Amino acid sequence: MTSNNRLSSLSTCFLAFIISISSIAQNKSSIIIYPDKAQHIINKHIYGHFAEHLGHCIYGGFYVGENNTKIPNTKGVRNDVIDALKKLKIANLRWPGGCFADTYHWKDGIGPKATRPKMVNVWWGGVTEDNSFGTHDFLDMCEVLGASPYISGNVGSGTVQELAEWVQYANFEGVSPMSTLRKQNGRDKGWSVSFWGVGNETWGCGGNMKPEWYANVYRQYATFMTDWNNSKKLFRIASGASSSDYNWTEVLMRDIPHHMLEGVALHHYSVIDWNKKSSATEFNEEAYFATMKQALLMEELVTRHSAIMDKYDPSKKIALVVDEWGGWYDVEPGTNPGFLYQQNTMRDAMIAGTTLNTFHNHADRVRMANLAQAINVLQAVILTNDEKMVLTPTYHVMEMYNVHQDAKLIPVSITASDYVFGKEKLPAVSASASIDKNGITHISLVNIDSKNQQEISISIPETQHKAVTGRILTSPRLQDYNSFESPYKIKPAEFKETKLKEGFLTTIVPPFSVIVLELK
Ligand code: AHR
């Protein structure tokens, strides 16, 4: 270490000490960012979404049919949705489930639509699925969106051959039974699908398996999922743990040979109580606090699952893929309970902002994630009602944050004041930072406190920034949302409450708001 480095690291420690002492004052938080320690890339695939055949996610959400003359569409997919998701820079899209995936037989969804077999969607409302949206519809739509497809294979009720043939159908460029069938169905070139899930929630709706059993099943399925002559390698993702089921991750990492495994999944929903989820819009502070406790648990979950993965895979070859996350409440009154349709408030913006910060800060291991779900289901970024479309607060957070995609993570240390509710407390402030290819630094800040603003001082040692601009997402009430009647109630606005001087940035973040700062 040179004397200059030693001096600068001593001064950073001193700075941290001074800042943390002064942060003991109420509603003052401090952050130090470490540009010299930037090392890992925030994988853009953390910004993935999820489209299940569930309620009105696919039908009415993405897809309205080729013959629809009321809603402008491209090959049946809504143009307004395409535009909105392109602006979001949607990185990948997971399909066709979820629980639905382990009931889905992909050959039912190819060929002439009029003759496709119908099935019952047993998990979601018992409705009839006519298979009018199938493999071609999904993969062509991903091309239009500029998103990488992530196909979730049927392990629960499918066969090894069925999944192997799906891979061949989607990817093989030579002459084979499946590539010939694809060509007969109008698509010459394969889609080069890289991301493949080997079952979903195999501990539950995907087969109620034990981890040891599933690890063996995975090995069998993965054996026949072939790369073919693709330039893109297959990225196979094992069905992962539910929240804190650490044993599940342990067994998969121990029992699956690592050359057969590119990712291990994790699912975690911010649900208060599975038997009493409570309203998405009419909630009190107790419910809000309980939801945020579940959302912030993501930090502990990814830390502990990653630690297990580190034990078996110290070089971090295998990614932790959080392919289902988000808030889960009661369905909107009067809607089908099996359709999981819920509104989306500033509470959801808090879940999105804090969760994405967590993913960024674990960029070394968390390299892919999927918000559940994209449209009209759970914590959606888009709601549709016939020809109307609404962008939710969650959409706006993901759009504001997309500046971090593929940027280099700048580690941060945060001394946050507490958000206190009754006898409990949570850290009020969450943050992450990155530097992009053009040398621009972005800092994302979330204040989850429902009542108090946060005065935040950010120290940025050893860098020279001359200008700061920002955007904020906030609203007068935590329960506020965008409705079809008032679709622009909540939207990002310019944020000017910042002062930048000699390596210090100070700002005031209002209660329950999300801010992204840009430093040049
Ligand atoms: O996202 C809704 C459901 O939640 C998915 O189908 C399933 O994987 C999870 O339990």
Side-chain angles (χ1 to χ4, degrees):
M1 195 187 244
T2 66
S3 59
N4 268 355
N5 278 344
R6 194 177 301 127
L7 264 179
S8 96
S9 106
L10 276 174
S11 62
T12 304
C13 290
F14 182 64
L15 205 59
F17 175 68
I18 296 292
I19 286 175
S20 62
I21 295 228
S22 62
S23 302
I24 292 168
Q26 231 192 350
N27 309 326
K28 287 194 175 180
S29 295
S30 60
I31 296 170
I32 304 179
I33 75 166
Y34 300 95
D36 55 328
K37 296 204 173 103
Q39 188 187 352
H40 303 290
I41 297 293
I42 296 173
N43 198 311
K44 69 172 181 180
H45 288 296
I46 283 172
Y47 288 78
H49 290 263
F50 177 24
E52 182 164 8
H53 286 239
L54 193 177
H56 292 298
C57 185
I58 297 292
Y59 300 108
F62 281 97
Y63 181 76
V64 288
E66 293 79 351
N67 303 326
N68 192 311
T69 49
K70 214 167 80 180
I71 303 172
N73 64 81
T74 305
K75 284 167 85 180
V77 179
R78 299 176 69 120
N79 290 346
D80 52 359
V81 161
I82 291 173
D83 290 346
L85 290 179
K86 274 183 165 176
K87 277 194 200 115
L88 205 54
K89 298 199 179 132
I90 171 174
N92 71 76
L93 188 59
R94 181 173 182 244
W95 173 85
C99 293
F100 179 80
D102 283 290
T103 66
Y104 183 64
H105 300 283
W106 68 271
K107 284 186 186 161
D108 293 349
I110 56 171
K113 295 202 175 187
T115 54
R116 290 184 190 175
K118 295 184 174 42
M119 67 181 281
V120 182
N121 191 330
V122 288
W123 288 111
W124 307 119
V127 293
T128 301
E129 161 69 55
D130 69 1
N131 279 309
S132 55
F133 188 89
T135 298
H136 289 250
D137 306 271
F138 172 67
L139 294 176
D140 289 351
M141 179 175 88
C142 285
E143 281 185 342
V144 173
L145 291 172
S148 302
Y150 169 14
I151 292 183
S152 202
N154 180 350
V155 165
S157 70
T159 62
V160 174
Q161 182 177 357
E162 198 180 349
L163 185 49
E165 287 185 340
W166 206 0
V167 177
Q168 190 185 113
Y169 189 88
N171 288 353
F172 191 57
E173 302 297 356
V175 178
S176 79
M178 290 304 112
S179 60
T180 305
L181 185 59
R182 182 186 72 227
K183 285 174 193 164
Q184 279 164 9
N185 287 328
R187 173 82 186 199
D188 232 29
K189 224 180 130 2
W191 291 272
S192 205
V193 178
S194 187
F195 298 124
W196 293 86
V198 183
N200 167 75
E201 296 195 350
T202 43
W203 40 262
C205 65
N208 279 305
M209 302 179 206
K210 292 189 173 165
E212 291 80 6
W213 181 274
Y214 171 64
N216 279 338
V217 169
Y218 177 96
R219 294 162 67 124
Q220 189 189 4
Y221 271 77
T223 303
F224 297 94
M225 296 169 72
T226 314
D227 264 343
W228 307 107
N229 46 3
N230 253 336
S231 51
K232 256 195 193 170
K233 288 254 169 242
L234 289 195
F235 192 102
R236 292 155 300 184
I237 299 163
S239 152
S242 171
S243 300
S244 58
D245 183 355
Y246 298 113
N247 181 53
W248 187 273
T249 302
E250 178 94 37
V251 174
L252 300 197
M253 291 300 293
R254 188 194 65 207
D255 289 3
I256 300 175
H258 291 186
H259 71 273
M260 303 180 95
L261 182 65
E262 284 72 36
V264 170
L266 167 67
H267 289 181
H268 175 64
Y269 285 98
S270 302
V271 65
I272 300 171
D273 176 347
W274 284 108
N275 298 314
K276 203 164 172 264
K277 300 187 202 76
S278 93
S279 162
T281 53
E282 287 167 28
F283 55 90
N284 56 20
E285 186 164 6
E286 189 184 354
Y288 171 62
F289 190 90
T291 310
M292 291 318 297
K293 215 165 132 182
Q294 281 302 313
L296 297 188
L297 185 63
M298 187 64 90
E299 175 64 34
E300 179 182 321
L301 295 175
V302 298
T303 303
R304 292 186 60 183
H305 283 287
S306 297
I308 293 165
M309 294 176 79
D310 286 350
K311 199 165 90 182
Y312 296 94
D313 172 34
S315 61
K316 298 180 193 287
K317 178 187 116 16
I318 299 162
L320 181 59
V321 177
V322 189
D323 57 11
E324 287 187 30
W325 65 273
W328 192 322
Y329 318 109
D330 285 340
V331 298
E332 291 306 309
T335 65
N336 187 329
F339 284 9
L340 309 186
Y341 175 76
Q342 65 190 39
Q343 249 297 352
N344 195 292
T345 66
M346 285 303 295
R347 169 170 63 173
D348 297 280
M350 298 298 101
I351 298 176
T354 53
T355 304
L356 290 170
N357 282 341
T358 295
F359 292 163
H360 294 170
N361 291 329
H362 289 268
D364 58 337
R365 183 67 82 174
V366 181
R367 300 198 287 269
M368 189 166 170
N370 299 79
L371 174 67
Q373 297 193 3
I375 309 180
N376 295 329
V377 171
L378 300 177
Q379 191 176 338
V381 288
I382 292 175
L383 301 176
T384 63
N385 182 3
D386 288 331
E387 62 270 51
K388 290 188 188 155
M389 182 189 80
V390 157
L391 304 179
T392 66
T394 301
Y395 175 96
H396 292 305
V397 173
M398 295 200 84
E399 184 274 324
M400 287 163 70
Y401 268 52
N402 68 22
V403 290
H404 291 291
Q405 289 189 10
D406 284 340
K408 203 179 246 187
L409 174 75
I410 302 178
V412 294
S413 70
I414 308 168
T415 309
S417 76
D418 295 327
Y419 163 35
V420 181
F421 177 72
K423 290 193 179 125
E424 291 191 277
K425 57 187 184 188
L426 292 170
V429 172
S430 132
S432 67
S434 69
I435 182 157
D436 71 12
K437 283 189 210 94
N438 303 316
I440 300 171
T441 298
H442 292 102
I443 304 175
S444 303
L445 301 169
V446 187
N447 173 15
I448 65 162
D449 196 312
S450 65
K451 296 183 209 77
N452 302 305
Q453 64 180 26
Q454 290 292 320
E455 205 180 305
I456 303 182
S457 60
I458 307 172
S459 134
I460 313 165
E462 297 162 31
T463 46
Q464 291 288 321
H465 293 287
K466 296 200 169 49
V468 56
T469 52
R471 292 169 82 201
I472 182 167
L473 192 76
T474 192
S475 196
R477 293 179 70 245
L478 195 45
Q479 293 80 0
D480 283 346
Y481 57 88
N482 289 336
S483 64
F484 295 106
E485 294 70 41
S486 184
Y488 306 110
K489 187 182 176 99
I490 302 169
K491 59 178 195 296
E494 194 181 352
F495 180 70
K496 290 186 174 166
E497 293 290 315
T498 51
K499 277 189 206 127
L500 179 64
K501 210 177 162 199
E502 288 158 11
F504 265 102
L505 176 68
T506 50
T507 183
I508 293 180
V509 184
F512 52 91
S513 51
V514 178
I515 287 170
V516 177
L517 301 175
E518 180 168 302
L519 284 89
K520 284 185 185 158

